[in-house]
Amino acid sequence: MKSKYYAEPFKIKMVEPIKILSEEVRLKKIEEAHYNLFYLDSEDIYIDLLSDSGTGAMSTEQWAGMMKGDEAYSGSKNYKKLVETAQKIFGYKYIQPVHQGRAAEKVVMPIFLGPGKYAISNMHFDTTRAHVEIAGARAIDCVVSDALDTETYSPFKGNMDTKKLIELIEKYRPENIGLIIMTITNNSAGGQPVSMENLKETSEIAKKYNIPLLIDAARFAENAYFIKTREKGYEDKSIREIVLEMFSYAQIFTMSSKKDAIVNMGGLIGIKDDEELYEEVKLKTIPLEGFVSYGGLAGRDLEALAIGLEEGIDINYLRYRIGQMEYLASRLDEAGIPYQYPVGGHAVFIDAKKLLPHIPYYEFPGHALAVELYKEAGIRTCDIGSYMLGNDPDTGEQLQSPFEFTRLAIPRRVYTQSHLDVVADALIAIKERAETIKGYKILWEPKILRHFTAKLKPIE
Ligand SMILES: *Cc1c(COP(=O)(O)O)cnc(C)c1O
């Protein structure tokens, strides 16, 4: 028997009750949270789609692994297992654990970047952009124009615009480009994948100009699944083979293991074969993250991460995972709700610019829809648009994002299809009253990564 969507390839052994507050209480809670969803208490949320980062459910094997934590300060068993597992999956000689993705960025970015330098990426994730800027450099996005058209099908909307990449390198001069960064999948473009062909071409350009290529690898397994199912010549290759080929094109990766490695905390740095670079990474890791063999994590965390890396590349798991996105997207199709199409790997990105066309970018349509979803059904999501992008670091002016998305990030192995139905129904109800929804004004904001802590107010 073959059904349209793949049912959960697991059964539930432990449950965590959730509750739904009345609408009246929700309205009060969001006002008290200064209309910033990051300030809400998680117990006041019914379905939490704020992030797929660190929110996944670990397996029985991972929990069993937690009991095998070797908490020695140096040289633990779990460290050895993690390094061996990661070496095998990525084909890189040197593996350095860190406590999460941004810690990897904090260690790596200053090695390659400084004042007067540039990083060019298919799209920088927000913390990646922050660490490029903290290092004193500037971050330039260079995604294919297909990504900007949310309605038309294109299999690899996460790709680097390689023609533009060459122009940018020539314009800013190769010696000033500290890094080329390939984010897989391309989170900010809607969890959109990068093709093997594009990775290869980008790698050839990087090589020609002698610029290192770094993979921002948070969702490497989902990207590999899209290559398998969408790119010619890869249908019969295993996820493992595809992952090995993907990483062969870069020299270094930084990874948040809180995504595809299905742990609640963790990160990795991988270096293909440059021993000198590894020495530098180790030197920086020790004062920032802790000794080389634990990198800001407990031994038990290293064990769960090693197991999660393997579970994350399991084809049955990936089929179910991407199937969840496809199911939710099919419900939105029926109702004519616009989203980044085709649906990405870890989330459905609602096109708030299209759903709320009366709200301009500087009044944050993606954020307005996120607040509305909480008011409607206690669902927490977030803006991936101008609100998240923030201000120009040189002029202080509000930047305009090419997208105004509200991101419905789906935690791994956590919610069922019925939960996704609640989400679809809430969006349908909001669509009916879309023109009554107001934009937002920022009352207070910090200098960088403002979306986490800014305070807002609806515009009357
Ligand atoms: C999550 C993420 C990061 C940062 O990782 P954290 O673990 O949240 O610090 C970097 N890049 C991408 C693409 C991400 O999705």
Side-chain angles (χ1 to χ4, degrees):
M1 196 186 75
K2 195 168 182 306
S3 56
K4 189 162 174 207
Y5 298 99
Y6 293 89
E8 286 73 8
F10 51 81
K11 53 187 177 175
I12 295 165
K13 178 170 255 168
M14 193 191 284
V15 295
E16 180 181 346
I18 48 177
K19 60 173 193 211
I20 184 159
L21 302 174
S22 70
E23 186 176 7
E24 194 193 337
V25 177
R26 291 200 300 272
L27 296 184
K28 196 169 137 265
K29 294 281 183 189
I30 191 69
E31 190 186 345
E32 286 168 5
H34 310 284
Y35 297 95
N36 182 339
L37 296 129
F38 285 93
Y39 283 123
L40 287 172
D41 288 336
S42 85
E43 60 184 357
D44 295 335
I45 289 151
Y46 182 42
I47 298 176
D48 202 347
L49 309 184
L50 181 63
S51 178
D52 65 316
S53 178
T55 54
M58 293 209 298
S59 66
T60 46
E61 283 304 311
Q62 285 176 297
W63 280 110
M66 296 290 275
M67 295 304 291
K68 293 194 196 157
D70 169 2
E71 307 304 343
Y73 192 91
S74 148
S76 78
K77 277 193 273 193
N78 319 108
Y79 167 70
K80 271 169 57 186
K81 173 166 170 173
L82 173 64
V83 169
E84 279 163 21
T85 306
Q87 283 172 332
K88 191 165 138 223
I89 291 177
F90 303 108
Y92 280 26
K93 193 163 173 196
Y94 304 110
I95 300 293
Q96 175 60 57
V98 287
H99 87 276
Q100 64 182 105
R102 69 200 66 184
E105 293 162 358
K106 178 179 67 180
V107 167
V108 167
M109 294 308 169
I111 297 177
F112 295 96
L113 300 167
K117 298 266 186 191
Y118 297 85
I120 307 175
S121 173
N122 55 338
M123 279 189 99
H124 294 82
F125 180 66
D126 57 354
T127 63
T128 319
R129 174 177 290 275
H131 279 292
V132 168
E133 288 172 3
I134 290 168
R138 286 287 172 262
I140 306 173
D141 288 342
C142 185
V143 71
V144 288
S145 58
D146 294 7
L148 308 182
D149 172 1
T150 60
E151 275 174 51
T152 313
Y153 180 86
S154 173
F156 293 102
K157 285 188 176 182
N159 279 354
M160 181 84 78
D161 183 335
T162 48
K163 193 164 155 264
K164 192 171 154 207
L165 174 63
I166 294 170
E167 286 166 15
L168 287 168
I169 295 171
E170 298 281 356
K171 179 175 165 196
Y172 292 101
R173 304 306 309 146
E175 61 274 20
N176 295 325
I177 316 294
L179 273 178
I180 296 174
I181 301 173
M182 194 64 115
T183 310
I184 59 171
T185 56
N186 188 330
N187 189 351
S188 311
Q192 294 292 316
V194 173
S195 71
M196 195 72 89
E197 190 187 10
N198 188 252
L199 247 172
K200 191 172 172 193
E201 204 185 324
T202 302
S203 141
E204 279 159 9
I205 295 167
K207 214 170 281 161
K208 182 177 152 205
Y209 289 101
N210 202 22
I211 302 166
L213 177 61
L214 176 145
I215 293 182
D216 181 356
R219 299 181 183 81
F220 74 99
E222 290 168 5
N223 200 90
Y225 179 81
F226 283 118
I227 288 176
K228 182 175 170 68
T229 51
R230 292 182 185 171
E231 191 162 351
K232 214 169 159 272
Y234 290 91
E235 10 345 36
D236 298 325
K237 291 227 167 26
S238 68
I239 296 292
R240 202 178 272 286
E241 288 169 315
I242 294 172
V243 169
L244 267 177
E245 183 178 341
M246 277 163 44
F247 282 82
S248 74
Y249 296 123
Q251 287 80 53
I252 180 166
F253 72 78
T254 53
M255 178 191 292
S256 167
S257 308
K258 301 168 69 174
K259 284 79 173 222
D260 278 3
I262 332 181
V263 286
N264 304 117
M265 191 53 70
L268 288 176
I269 299 168
I271 297 155
K272 191 193 261 164
D273 50 21
D274 184 340
E275 193 181 347
E276 221 173 291
L277 177 58
Y278 177 52
E279 289 301 330
E280 230 176 313
V281 162
K282 281 197 288 192
L283 266 179
K284 291 189 72 86
T285 299
I286 295 169
L288 290 169
E289 286 292 288
F291 189 64
V292 175
S293 68
Y294 70 89
L297 295 168
R300 53 182 175 272
D301 295 331
L302 302 173
E303 184 73 19
L305 172 49
I307 298 167
L309 279 172
E310 291 283 355
E311 291 182 0
I313 57 173
D314 178 79
I315 184 70
N316 293 317
Y317 157 74
L318 285 167
R319 214 178 257 144
Y320 140 79
R321 166 91 182 137
I322 307 299
Q324 276 204 314
M325 310 302 144
E326 288 168 351
Y327 173 73
L328 181 53
S330 76
R331 290 277 336 261
L332 303 181
D333 287 339
E334 285 165 23
I337 292 169
Y339 62 92
Q340 174 65 295
Y341 173 81
V343 77
H346 65 290
V348 177
F349 288 65
I350 307 296
D351 189 341
K353 199 193 296 194
K354 286 218 175 71
L355 193 65
L356 307 172
H358 57 287
I359 303 179
Y361 73 91
Y362 50 84
E363 293 177 7
F364 317 127
H367 181 73
L369 179 59
V371 173
E372 221 50 37
L373 273 162
Y374 181 72
K375 291 204 261 178
E376 176 67 31
I379 298 162
R380 176 157 69 170
T381 57
C382 75
D383 170 274
I384 302 272
S386 298
Y387 172 56
M388 185 182 94
L389 188 59
N391 301 317
D392 186 303
D394 296 323
T395 67
E397 238 173 274
Q398 172 66 51
L399 294 165
Q400 181 174 8
S401 166
F403 310 108
E404 302 297 342
F405 288 135
T406 304
R407 185 181 74 173
L408 317 178
I410 315 291
R412 293 169 180 78
R413 310 192 285 209
V414 170
Y415 292 115
T416 64
Q417 191 156 315
S418 325
H419 291 114
L420 299 183
D421 279 325
V422 172
V423 175
D425 292 341
L427 278 164
I428 293 165
I430 291 168
K431 181 173 182 252
E432 314 255 288
R433 56 178 167 81
E435 65 283 355
T436 66
I437 295 166
K438 302 275 199 298
Y440 283 80
K441 180 179 153 64
I442 294 180
L443 299 177
W444 176 85
E445 63 184 298
K447 268 217 172 80
I448 51 167
L449 296 176
R450 71 171 179 201
H451 54 295
F452 291 119
T453 54
K455 296 176 180 174
L456 304 97
K457 170 179 113 160
I459 292 165
E460 291 312 327

